[in-house]
Amino acid sequence: MSDKVLLSVEHVKTYFDVTKGPFSRKQIVKAVDDVSFTIKEGETYGLVGESGCGKSTLGRTLVQIYRATEGRICYKGRDISTLTQNDRKEFTREVQMIFQDPYASLNPRMTVGEIIKEPMEIHKILSTSREREERAAELLKTVGLKPDHIRRYPHEFSGGQRQRISIARTLALNPKFIICDEPISALDVSIQAQIINLLKEIQENMGISYLFVAHDLSMVNYISHRIGVMYLGHLVEEGDADEVYENPIHPYTKALLSAVPIPDPDKAREKKRIQLKGELPTPLNPPSGCPFKGRCPIATEACEETRPELKDYKGHKAACFRIQT
Amino acid sequence: MMTYTEQIEDSMFDKLEESEKDTEFIAMESKTYLKDAWDCFKKNRLALAGLIFLLFMVVLAVMVPVLSPYTYDSQNLDVRNALPSMAHPLGTDKLGRDILVRLMFGARISLMVGFVAAFLNLIIGVVYGGVSGFMGGKTDMVMMRIIDCIYSIPSMLYVILIMMVFGSNIGSVLLGICVSSWIGMARQVRTQVQTLKQQEFALAAYVIGAGKLRILFKHLIINCMGPIIVSTTLMVPEAIFTESFLAFIGIGISLPQASWGTLASEARSVIQSYPLQIVWPVLAICLTVLSLNFIGDGLGEALDPKNR
Ligand SMILES: Nc1ncnc2c1ncn2[C@@H]1O[C@H](COP(=O)(O)OP(=O)(O)O)[C@@H](O)[C@H]1O
Ligand SMILES: [Mg+2]
């Protein structure tokens, strides 16, 4: 891991206009609301939060599936919304994404070989179809599948194998940065570890950076160097992985961590679970003030009015008024 | 605390070979989509019978000038309104023309109208609907309003207007039938594309840098090919029917050429004395339309991934 910043996200907001029909009241979903962070070369940044808090939206904004409503996303120091045609091509080659649902992320009408060769065809990597075919077979080996699977269709594979095919597709472009949007949450527990280890191995061999999205803190802690915790479109805590995992300072992270099952029964008995009261509020008309106030056990009047900013406590950041230093 | 009666040690387990590690097995036999669909289609007896009948019709229609001693307009006034015989298997009409030969020449026109109309509808409908659904937003809105306008005029009016401008020929009939009949296809494709484009494989295609055309055709439309093929098949009988109806009421291609509709219309004038003559063209229309419908149903079942 080097100290060079690869990606910086500055006050990014992604809103969706979900107004129904021309005559109804305007309705805006604030899926991502003012998020800032940076990712260094070779680093894995873990992003956690309950489902619906805007993790996928953030990931998709980074690859421009959605346009940021406000704010800047800089890749290698350049704003990605102002790239020229050529630079954009370069950007799509270097920045890739692995999706959550392995059953939906592969085109059912294409063979595995066609799926893996397609990015190479688009970016004119290698010159002949033969060479691409060989490279595809090689990539299948890299991700732990057999090269002779190349002529099969996705429906013949299990979830874990499909996720491996997805990984091979992204690797075909030799990317520098991969966004993994909950790549393991649809898989069996036994397969999850295999995929995580595969991703780790790939990172060690190729020096790729990851944005690793998940809703499970223990997996994220295992793979990430740093962790960011999202709540209702906001980043509420960020720091080195072990630091956040072992001493969370934001009440929401504390609650999330208390829900992580511990394999040692003696330790588990000692642990106190913090129950979160209330439902996750929707990002459609979010509350003013601190987004977490409605479910927070230590909320005061101050939390009602203004939203706490992300503050730096010796490298460990959190957005909460109640933190004492 | 539970204890085991026997101690379990590591040495009791065999280690997996390196090559067997991490592998899950593939149980399903590898078959391509088309082979799979054909196997399923074959099981449907009605559809298969329909296909055979249709192929038989097509072969006869193509081969009829070679096979028959008569042409569609060779009159023989000595054998007017003859009943079926060895020389004329289906009899002759009021001008002594062989009905079977006229029926087969009619099949050329009727089938051609059916297939060409279906093909044009396929191309126009898929491209229009695909682009509209894929682009979304304002483009989609404008394109759909244009469709609404075209659709708001009865299709018979188009046919009559086009005939007035371009004359009574097969081209005008085709054009008239096609002006508005692709709209159903366009709407269907648009809806499908709208849902498919949200799917992760379409997003994945975008992320690897695929252009709009590639995403639309290689990823989206290919995934709604099943329903598209079925609707195209069902459009053939629809066009045949429309053409026959137009010919029956006297709009369409000019004599002595004849489609099945014209034949039925001619036979109507002698229906009191020779009712058998109207049976043949009507039977031809019915059986062909029925066959195509069976084929459409069979394809629908065979191409539906849920039946796999
Ligand atoms: N295309 C969209 N249009 C409107 N609302 C959306 C869209 N995508 C996501 N949302 C909304 O944004 C919020 C965040 O969704 P998402 O980013 O998928 O959350 P997560 O990945 O953390 O589960 C949800 O409330 C969701 O309903
Ligand atoms: Mg998600």
Side-chain angles (χ1 to χ4, degrees):
Chain A
M1 199 170 92
S2 76
D3 272 344
K4 253 169 86 184
V5 171
L6 187 66
L7 182 91
S8 73
V9 174
E10 297 161 19
H11 303 286
V12 163
K13 300 179 181 177
T14 308
Y15 294 173
F16 295 109
D17 189 341
V18 289
T19 313
K20 289 196 187 73
F23 306 114
S24 18
R25 203 162 53 87
K26 210 163 175 62
Q27 290 199 298
I28 304 279
V29 172
K30 300 186 173 181
V32 175
D33 202 2
D34 199 356
V35 168
S36 305
F37 62 93
T38 58
I39 297 179
K40 298 194 202 97
E41 267 176 25
E43 183 184 43
T44 303
Y45 188 97
L47 194 63
V48 282
E50 281 165 289
S51 98
C53 70
K55 307 181 298 291
S56 298
T57 305
L58 180 58
R60 288 174 180 195
T61 308
L62 297 186
V63 288
Q64 295 192 301
I65 292 173
Y66 303 139
R67 301 285 143 153
T69 316
E70 257 179 61
R72 253 162 45 110
I73 299 166
C74 293
Y75 178 73
K76 288 182 168 171
R78 298 181 54 191
D79 188 339
I80 62 166
S81 64
T82 59
L83 293 178
T84 61
Q85 193 88 30
N86 267 340
D87 291 337
R88 185 166 151 68
K89 195 125 198 176
E90 181 76 11
F91 174 79
T92 53
R93 198 185 67 66
E94 292 190 2
V95 180
Q96 280 302 309
M97 182 154 183
I98 298 169
F99 292 86
Q100 173 171 8
D101 183 357
Y103 292 89
S105 59
L106 302 174
N107 185 340
R109 292 280 176 275
M110 286 165 87
T111 63
V112 171
E114 286 164 350
I115 289 170
I116 300 175
K117 280 190 290 180
E118 187 176 30
M120 295 190 251
E121 280 160 17
I122 293 169
H123 289 272
K124 310 213 165 52
I125 295 171
L126 301 176
S127 43
T128 64
S129 179
R130 264 295 293 280
E131 286 174 318
R132 287 181 189 136
E133 181 108 2
E134 277 163 21
R135 172 90 176 116
E138 209 176 280
L139 283 166
L140 278 178
K141 252 196 269 174
T142 312
V143 298
L145 293 170
K146 297 214 179 78
D148 56 344
H149 287 166
I150 202 159
R151 270 174 237 304
R152 291 174 175 265
Y153 284 85
H155 70 87
E156 299 171 44
F157 294 89
S158 68
Q161 290 174 318
R162 286 181 201 215
Q163 212 54 303
R164 287 170 194 267
I165 297 168
S166 285
I167 294 172
R169 170 174 59 193
T170 59
L171 294 184
L173 292 173
N174 291 315
K176 290 224 158 53
F177 176 46
I178 302 181
I179 294 157
C180 310
D181 186 5
E182 305 201 36
I184 53 167
S185 65
L187 306 177
D188 287 349
V189 179
S190 60
I191 313 287
Q192 287 186 351
Q194 292 177 8
I195 299 291
I196 291 267
N197 286 331
L198 175 65
L199 287 170
K200 255 193 142 164
E201 200 180 294
I202 289 167
Q203 179 169 55
E204 275 153 26
N205 295 338
M206 306 171 142
I208 297 174
S209 307
Y210 289 130
L211 175 70
F212 191 90
V213 177
H215 57 246
D216 169 2
L217 247 171
S218 56
M219 269 303 179
V220 170
N221 179 45
Y222 175 66
I223 192 171
S224 308
H225 302 106
R226 273 190 306 144
I227 293 179
V229 180
M230 260 183 102
Y231 186 80
L232 210 61
H234 303 280
L235 205 57
V236 294
E237 177 159 2
E238 187 198 274
D240 287 340
D242 291 335
E243 179 66 20
V244 172
Y245 193 68
E246 261 135 45
N247 334 281
I249 49 180
H250 194 281
Y252 176 62
T253 317
K254 284 184 182 161
L256 262 189
L257 265 171
S258 76
V260 172
I262 296 179
D264 183 343
D266 292 332
K267 271 198 192 153
R269 225 169 290 128
E270 284 167 21
K271 189 171 105 164
K272 227 174 59 212
R273 277 199 64 168
I274 306 171
Q275 289 282 344
L276 278 183
K277 21 172 209 176
E279 286 281 297
L280 177 69
T282 66
L284 187 67
N285 316 316
S288 62
C290 175
F292 189 52
K293 67 178 184 209
R295 299 163 81 190
C296 184
I298 53 168
T300 61
E301 250 161 54
C303 308
E304 292 286 337
E305 280 136 33
T306 42
R307 184 161 76 79
E309 295 287 320
L310 204 60
K311 269 196 209 137
D312 201 333
Y313 304 92
K314 297 191 204 92
H316 189 158
K317 298 178 191 169
C320 180
F321 291 127
R322 300 295 311 274
I323 295 168
Q324 267 109 37
T325 37
Chain B
M1 192 77 184
M2 243 174 42
T3 49
Y4 296 104
T5 47
E6 269 178 80
Q7 200 62 34
I8 299 175
E9 280 166 25
D10 282 355
S11 61
M12 297 166 78
F13 294 98
D14 283 335
K15 267 199 168 164
L16 271 182
E17 291 289 318
E18 192 61 34
S19 62
E20 285 172 44
K21 261 189 187 170
D22 281 8
T23 48
E24 302 157 59
F25 292 100
I26 297 173
M28 214 191 256
E29 186 198 343
S30 181
K31 269 205 262 182
T32 66
Y33 177 66
L34 284 179
K35 169 130 184 15
D36 228 8
W38 171 240
D39 285 347
C40 179
F41 184 83
K42 271 194 301 193
K43 284 193 201 110
N44 187 333
R45 290 280 164 79
L46 279 177
L48 199 61
L51 185 65
I52 291 169
F53 178 80
L54 192 70
L55 285 178
F56 180 68
M57 266 321 215
V58 171
V59 169
L60 274 188
V62 172
M63 301 290 287
V64 63
V66 188
L67 296 178
S68 150
Y70 316 107
T71 62
Y72 66 93
D73 57 352
S74 62
Q75 303 180 3
N76 181 354
L77 296 179
D78 297 338
V79 285
R80 284 186 290 178
N81 297 322
L83 286 176
S85 65
M86 281 306 283
H88 302 284
L90 301 184
T92 58
D93 67 4
K94 62 186 174 196
L95 295 175
R97 295 173 294 197
D98 184 85
I99 289 183
L100 180 61
V101 170
R102 278 180 74 69
L103 210 56
M104 286 305 117
F105 274 98
R108 290 181 150 199
I109 291 170
S110 291
L111 289 177
M112 203 216 11
V113 167
F115 286 118
V116 173
F119 181 74
L120 290 178
N121 284 336
L122 170 77
I123 303 289
I124 303 172
V126 166
V127 171
Y128 196 96
V131 169
S132 181
F134 184 64
M135 300 302 286
K138 286 220 169 62
T139 318
D140 181 42
M141 227 261 297
V142 172
M143 287 178 87
M144 287 331 275
R145 290 303 80 77
I146 292 175
I147 275 192
D148 291 343
C149 291
I150 296 175
Y151 204 62
S152 63
I153 300 171
S155 56
M156 212 47 70
L157 208 57
Y158 288 120
V159 179
I160 293 165
L161 286 176
I162 287 168
M163 293 274 183
M164 276 169 60
V165 179
F166 296 109
S168 287
N169 54 49
I170 190 122
S172 319
V173 177
L174 266 175
L175 195 61
I177 293 177
C178 288
V179 169
S180 59
S181 57
W182 54 273
I183 284 175
M185 176 70 91
R187 289 209 170 115
Q188 187 190 4
V189 172
R190 170 177 173 266
T191 321
Q192 296 254 358
V193 164
Q194 275 176 335
T195 38
L196 283 173
K197 75 173 180 183
Q198 319 268 2
Q199 297 246 337
E200 287 184 348
F201 69 80
L203 300 181
Y206 174 78
V207 172
I208 60 172
K212 287 197 171 83
L213 279 180
R214 180 189 277 267
I215 297 178
L216 179 57
F217 287 99
K218 282 198 81 172
H219 294 276
L220 304 180
I221 286 180
I222 199 168
N223 275 291
C224 40
M225 247 9 237
I228 289 176
I229 291 174
V230 175
S231 330
T232 311
T233 315
L234 296 179
M235 238 170 237
V236 180
E238 216 178 285
I240 291 180
F241 221 85
T242 312
E243 192 278 333
S244 300
F245 169 71
L246 288 172
F248 190 74
I249 60 173
I251 308 171
I253 56 160
S254 39
L255 295 169
Q257 280 195 324
S259 74
W260 289 339
T262 338
L263 293 180
S265 165
E266 281 176 0
R268 191 184 50 163
S269 59
V270 293
I271 196 165
Q272 299 286 337
S273 21
Y274 306 101
L276 197 58
Q277 284 186 20
I278 203 168
V279 170
W280 307 119
V282 168
L283 207 61
I285 295 171
C286 284
L287 286 178
T288 309
V289 169
L290 212 58
S291 302
L292 281 157
N293 277 307
F294 286 147
I295 295 173
D297 280 352
L299 282 176
E301 221 167 86
L303 297 176
D304 188 347
K306 277 184 234 98
N307 294 337
R308 220 55 53 73

